[in-house]
Amino acid sequence: GENVEQHPSTLSVQEGDSAVIKCTYSDSASNYFPWYKQELGKRPQLIIDIRSNVGEKKDQRIAVTLNKTAKHFSLHITETQPEDSAVYFCAASIRIRGKLIFGQGTTLQVKP
Amino acid sequence: EAGVAQSPRYKIIEKRQSVAFWCNPISGHATLYWYQQILGQGPKLLIQFQNNGVVDDSQLPKDRFSAERLKGVDSTLKIQPAKLEDSAVYLCASSLGRLAGGTDTQYFGPGTRLTVL
């Protein structure tokens, strides 16, 4: 069935370092890949997304890359700050406007 | 712009009791989703509405869960009877429901944290 695997489950970095979170999806029909940030006790918030016709997208300190052949996509955060500490979820959509299949989440801790 | 509203924020019930959650989507959003998020996991879709019609309810445990979206705006999700394993955060999300630049961003509400004792 539809599945998204996310790694690592926890990630600890020093302030200013880069962080990378990787996801793999199972269904080759997936064509939309958003990333959500969820702070403790709060709602998931979209931070960046990418469509299957694009290989990379950047927004200031965050970027997402997509490898359709390998069915991999990754989130890259540069110059991490303590306020980046949160749980990050990747997701894949089997069709645009369809349901999101979420990964298990990565808890990112940025140490000052 | 007002976000997705949900109530209550917290609910504690005994197993076998019933419970209902309410969601008010962003104004003008045609698509509404209910997700279940168990502690330490990613959200899992329970049901998706397009206006007041069901698009996907394949993972909704229909023997105990029900949802409706009368008039294509607000929605309620009900559990009857509740089981211990229903303890989770129930998230409502909404989206425009049409392709805006090829995507249809989902915006989440704050969720309802349900504890079943």
Side-chain angles (χ1 to χ4, degrees), chain B residues 59-107:
Chain B
Q59 296 198 81
L60 186 74
K62 298 179 186 64
D63 57 333
R64 298 184 300 106
F65 286 64
S66 64
E68 61 182 10
R69 191 184 183 198
L70 299 177
K71 301 181 182 178
V73 181
D74 293 1
S75 177
T76 56
L77 176 70
K78 297 179 181 178
I79 308 175
Q80 182 179 11
K83 292 185 175 181
L84 296 177
E85 57 261 36
D86 297 333
S87 293
V89 174
Y90 291 84
L91 293 162
C92 179
S94 71
S95 66
L96 279 169
R98 61 176 183 269
L99 298 179
T103 62
D104 192 27
T105 301
Q106 293 184 30
Y107 298 90

Side-chain angles (χ1 to χ4, degrees), chain A residues 2 32 36 38 41-46 49-51 89 95-105, chain B residues 4 33 35 37 40-43 45 48 55-56 58-59 97 99 101-106 108-110:
Chain A
E2 305 151 347
Y32 174 59
Y36 283 85
Q38 188 174 31
K42 296 191 175 181
R43 71 189 75 194
Q45 293 201 305
L46 180 73
D49 57 14
I50 192 168
R51 289 182 284 155
F89 291 98
R95 63 191 188 281
I96 291 174
R97 287 193 293 177
K99 69 181 180 184
L100 294 176
I101 307 298
F102 282 86
Q104 299 91 328
Chain B
V4 177
Y33 312 79
Y35 288 87
Q37 186 176 23
Q41 299 181 19
L45 182 75
Q48 176 184 348
V55 174
D56 187 334
S58 57
Q59 296 198 81
L99 298 179
T103 62
D104 192 27
T105 301
Q106 293 184 30
F108 284 84

Side-chain angles (χ1 to χ4, degrees), chain A residues 2-105:
Chain A
E2 305 151 347
N3 189 46
V4 175
E5 294 288 335
Q6 183 173 347
H7 298 282
S9 57
T10 60
L11 181 58
S12 182
V13 300
Q14 289 295 134
E15 183 177 359
D17 287 351
S18 295
V20 180
I21 303 170
K22 299 181 179 181
C23 291
T24 304
Y25 58 98
S26 61
D27 194 318
S28 57
S30 299
N31 56 8
Y32 174 59
F33 308 91
W35 285 87
Y36 283 85
K37 175 183 180 182
Q38 188 174 31
E39 296 177 16
L40 188 63
K42 296 191 175 181
R43 71 189 75 194
Q45 293 201 305
L46 180 73
I47 55 171
I48 195 168
D49 57 14
I50 192 168
R51 289 182 284 155
S52 59
N53 60 348
V54 177
E56 183 176 2
K57 183 177 179 181
K58 287 184 179 180
D59 183 3
Q60 299 183 342
R61 295 187 298 109
I62 60 174
V64 58
T65 58
L66 172 65
N67 182 330
K68 287 174 56 181
T69 303
K71 294 190 283 188
H72 288 171
F73 57 114
S74 300
L75 178 71
H76 304 253
I77 306 174
T78 58
E79 301 173 19
T80 54
Q81 302 167 2
E83 51 265 39
D84 294 330
S85 297
V87 180
Y88 291 80
F89 291 98
C90 62
S93 179
I94 301 301
R95 63 191 188 281
I96 291 174
R97 287 193 293 177
K99 69 181 180 184
L100 294 176
I101 307 298
F102 282 86
Q104 299 91 328

Side-chain angles (χ1 to χ4, degrees), chain B residues 6 8 10-11 23 29 39 52 59-60 62 73 78 108:
Chain B
Q6 289 187 247
Y10 306 92
K11 190 74 177 177
C23 173
H29 279 195
L39 186 65
N52 60 352
Q59 296 198 81
L60 186 74
K62 298 179 186 64
V73 181
K78 297 179 181 178
F108 284 84

